[in-house]
Amino acid sequence: MVTLTKAEEKIMKILWGIGKGFIKDIIEQYPDPKPPYNSVSTIVRVLVQKDIVGFKAYGNSHQYYPLVTKEAYSKGQLSRLVKDYYNNSLTQVVNFFSESKKLDEKELDEVMRMLEDLKKQKNG
């Protein structure tokens, strides 16, 4: 899975949210000040070249839509992060969160439940 730039991710988040749209529809989703039309259009064309976005032509206009789901992209990025920064070790990931104290007790309980379910599946 290809890694997107921040600008590309912003456009993808918009497309995942609206489903499909023209450049003007994408720009409408940005907060003020809105980016220039040509800048957004250039980034969308790059996403098309990367096979992340598809389009349907209506004369000279193009309606764009995501070819990759948000879930698939997120999963790929998380897998890459765990592989590249945590030696592909879930133990190191959990250790990071436990040391940085970013998990509250409710989240820890949920993680423990999920791990117990996973353990049952592996043994079952």
Side-chain angles (χ1 to χ4, degrees):
M1 174 71 59
V2 67
T3 299
L4 303 177
T5 66
K6 288 186 185 285
E8 292 168 344
E9 275 191 8
K10 176 68 176 167
I11 288 174
M12 287 307 299
K13 287 177 182 177
I14 290 170
L15 281 174
W16 287 321
I18 64 175
K20 59 185 173 183
F22 297 91
I23 298 297
K24 68 176 184 60
D25 300 321
I26 295 169
I27 293 171
E28 285 176 6
Q29 300 297 313
Y30 276 87
D32 288 328
K34 309 268 189 218
Y37 183 96
N38 288 341
S39 298
V40 174
S41 180
T42 298
I43 295 168
V44 169
R45 284 195 310 273
V46 169
L47 290 168
V48 168
Q49 290 173 350
K50 290 182 175 184
D51 290 325
I52 303 294
V53 168
F55 66 89
K56 183 173 182 181
Y58 295 94
N60 290 333
S61 296
H62 295 84
Q63 186 178 45
Y64 298 96
Y65 54 89
L67 294 175
V68 175
T69 65
K70 183 178 181 180
E71 294 75 20
Y73 181 74
S74 298
K75 183 178 178 180
Q77 291 307 300
L78 185 57
S79 294
R80 183 190 60 78
L81 181 75
V82 170
K83 179 179 175 236
D84 291 350
Y85 293 95
Y86 297 100
N87 299 319
N88 221 17
S89 168
L90 179 60
T91 303
Q92 287 185 23
V93 173
V94 172
N95 187 49
F96 167 78
F97 283 109
S98 67
E99 285 182 354
S100 63
K101 310 230 187 300
K102 301 246 184 210
L103 296 174
D104 63 24
E105 188 173 339
K106 184 177 179 182
E107 289 174 315
L108 285 170
D109 289 342
E110 180 67 14
V111 169
M112 292 299 291
R113 185 194 62 73
M114 292 170 67
L115 290 172
E116 284 297 323
D117 289 348
L118 182 61
K119 187 176 180 180
K120 287 176 187 174
Q121 289 175 2
K122 294 283 183 185
N123 292 332

